[in-house]
Amino acid sequence: RKEVEQDPGPFNVPEGATVAFNCTYSNSASQSFFWYRQDCRKEPKLLMSVYSSGNEDGRFTAQLNRASQYISLLIRDSKLSDSATYLCVVNRDGGYNKLIFGAGTRLAVHP
Amino acid sequence: DAGVIQSPRHEVTEMGQEVTLRCKPISGHNSLFWYRQTMMRGLELLIYFNNNVPIDDSGMPEDRFSAKMPNASFSTLKIQPSEPRDSAVYFCASSSQGREQFFGPGTRLTVL
C-alpha cells in the first residue's frame, strides 16, 4: 500500500464548478501536510499547507482529519487556469524535509 | 532571484553511459533535495543535503546513483552506468531553514 493515496482522476469539470479532491495517508506519525500543484511538464509548486483546524486561501479550502488520516482540497468557482495535477504531500519529520508525494489527481476545467 | 537552476534540461544517452545532472540552489538556501518522477512511481525523494552534508540517501535506488554537494551553490547527481529504467524527470529543490521547498524545472532523462 502506498503511503499517500489519491484518486488519479481525471476530474473533468466546467468553469464555475466546485470540485473536491481527497487523499489518505497511512503513516500516523505524519506531522505536516500540503497540497502542491503541478502543471503539465512543469515542476511542482506549493499550493497551500494544511492545518488541523482547516484553512482557506481564496477559492481553495484544505481540511485535515487526523483521526481518519484524511486530507481534502476543495476548489470553488473553478477557472480554466486551475487545470493541473494536484499532489497531496505529507511529511514525517515535522518540517518540510522528507516529503512523501501522492501520485496526484488530474483536474481539467473546460469552458 | 533566478530560482533553482538545473542543467541540462534534456538528456538523451545510451545504456551504459555516465550521466551527470547539475543543480544550483537558490542563494541562501541551506537544504537541497534530489527527486525523480516517473509515471509508474510518481515523485520520489532520492537524497537530501543540509548545509552541504547528505542527511538521508535512503531513496537512492542503487549504487549506480551518487550525489555530491561540494559547496552551498552546486550539487550533482550522477548515474553510472545508466540503464533504460533510469529514464525519468529528475528535479532538484532547495529550501531555507526547513521551510517551503522550491523546485527547479527538472532534467528530462532518456536512456536508450
Side-chain angles (χ1 to χ4, degrees):
Chain A
R1 183 187 173 195
K2 292 183 179 178
E3 190 163 344
V4 180
E5 299 261 19
Q6 293 183 251
D7 181 341
F11 284 61
N12 292 300
V13 302
E15 274 185 290
T18 295
V19 61
F21 304 139
N22 303 318
C23 164
T24 58
Y25 60 96
S26 60
N27 189 338
S28 58
S30 299
Q31 298 188 38
S32 305
F33 308 90
F34 313 93
W35 284 100
Y36 273 69
R37 171 191 168 130
Q38 186 172 23
D39 292 298
C40 187
R41 302 180 76 86
K42 298 285 191 181
E43 71 272 22
K45 293 183 180 178
L46 179 66
L47 178 66
M48 59 196 302
S49 301
V50 187
Y51 304 118
S52 296
S53 54
N55 49 296
E56 188 173 304
D57 183 0
R59 298 181 293 108
F60 299 83
T61 301
Q63 297 276 356
L64 168 65
N65 184 322
R66 285 187 185 269
S68 302
Q69 295 180 200
Y70 171 94
I71 306 162
S72 66
L73 177 68
L74 183 78
I75 305 176
R76 291 181 300 278
D77 189 22
S78 300
K79 311 290 184 191
L80 294 175
S81 57
D82 294 335
S83 298
T85 296
Y86 290 84
L87 304 167
C88 177
V89 186
V90 305
N91 176 279
R92 296 195 205 116
D93 66 5
Y96 282 79
N97 282 340
K98 192 154 186 174
L99 300 182
I100 310 298
F101 284 77
T105 298
R106 199 150 55 88
L107 171 66
V109 182
H110 58 81
Chain B
D1 198 330
V4 176
I5 299 172
Q6 290 186 246
S7 64
R9 294 292 304 276
H10 302 272
E11 176 81 27
V12 180
T13 190
E14 293 188 344
M15 182 173 63
Q17 297 298 306
E18 178 179 295
V19 175
T20 300
L21 310 181
R22 297 174 176 79
C23 176
K24 176 178 169 55
I26 292 172
S27 177
H29 282 192
N30 66 323
S31 298
L32 183 139
F33 308 82
W34 282 103
Y35 290 87
R36 177 173 69 176
Q37 188 172 38
T38 62
M39 289 292 292
M40 290 295 294
R41 301 177 64 90
L43 194 60
E44 302 172 287
L45 177 65
L46 300 178
I47 184 171
Y48 77 91
F49 297 82
N50 274 354
N51 299 315
N52 313 339
V53 176
I55 301 300
D56 187 336
D57 65 355
S58 59
M60 295 286 262
E62 48 196 274
D63 291 346
R64 297 184 297 106
F65 286 69
S66 63
K68 293 182 180 180
M69 191 164 186
N71 58 61
S73 59
F74 184 66
S75 177
T76 60
L77 177 68
K78 186 174 293 187
I79 308 172
Q80 166 64 16
S82 58
E83 297 182 3
R85 61 193 168 119
D86 301 331
S87 297
V89 180
Y90 290 82
F91 288 104
C92 175
S94 70
S95 72
S96 173
Q97 305 301 331
R99 297 193 183 96
E100 177 186 350
Q101 292 184 26
F102 292 85
F103 283 73
T107 295
R108 189 170 297 272
L109 173 65
T110 302
V111 183
L112 302 174

